[in-house]
Amino acid sequence: MTNVLRLIGSFDDLDPDGPLTRKSSDQDWSKLIDHIRDVANHVREVEAQSQEQELHVQHLLERAREDIKEAADRVRAADARAADIQARSEALLKAADERVKAAEERARVAEGWLALIREAITSEFIVKQDTKRIA
């Protein structure tokens, strides 16, 4: 409305004998109609620009929504990969721990056998050496 008044002019500025009186000339009325048409064109242009800007904003909002959705999908996928990696790591650690325990048990058994072999060798060689001295 402010633009309309600005284009037409303020009602306070109208001369009582000006373009809106009965005594106005056809030219004055023609000018007023031209002003009204100019204002109407301006209003239509502003409305068109407003609609264009609104469409642009809606497009930007939709694109932002899509970007947010895609980012959320990537986060979910990364979380799933991280959970899978963690599960596989835990399985590998458990398997490695079991292999370590099995290796420690084999080493303990082997040390036991080595002790028995050492004792057998030592006792057998000592006995034979003692019998050679006696003879």
Side-chain angles (χ1 to χ4, degrees):
M1 190 64 169
T2 305
N3 289 335
V4 171
L5 291 176
R6 187 180 46 160
L7 288 172
I8 294 176
S10 172
F11 288 114
D12 295 335
D13 296 339
L14 293 177
D15 182 3
D17 296 325
L20 298 179
T21 64
R22 289 183 188 191
K23 296 180 184 177
S24 299
S25 71
D26 288 342
Q27 185 180 18
D28 291 337
W29 286 107
S30 178
K31 285 181 184 179
L32 179 61
I33 290 172
D34 288 342
H35 281 305
I36 291 171
R37 285 186 177 139
D38 289 342
V39 169
N41 283 333
H42 181 70
V43 168
R44 282 191 293 273
E45 288 172 5
V46 168
E47 179 64 25
Q49 289 174 354
S50 174
Q51 288 177 356
E52 189 176 312
Q53 287 177 350
E54 184 176 339
L55 289 174
H56 182 68
V57 167
Q58 288 175 357
H59 174 74
L60 290 174
L61 287 173
E62 183 61 31
R63 183 64 189 144
R65 285 185 198 105
E66 290 172 6
D67 289 347
I68 289 169
K69 183 186 177 300
E70 289 172 5
D73 290 345
R74 286 192 303 269
V75 167
R76 279 191 292 278
D79 285 344
R81 283 192 304 270
D84 181 52
I85 290 170
Q86 183 177 359
R88 285 189 284 156
S89 296
E90 288 173 0
L92 289 171
L93 286 172
K94 183 178 178 183
D97 188 48
E98 290 171 1
R99 285 194 302 270
V100 166
K101 287 178 183 177
E104 287 173 344
E105 179 61 21
R106 285 191 307 272
R108 189 187 61 74
V109 169
E111 287 174 351
W113 281 109
L114 284 173
L116 290 174
I117 291 170
R118 182 175 180 262
E119 183 181 317
I121 290 173
T122 305
S123 66
E124 288 299 318
F125 281 114
I126 291 176
V127 170
K128 289 182 181 178
Q129 285 178 350
D130 287 341
T131 49
K132 285 185 183 177
R133 287 186 192 168
I134 299 176

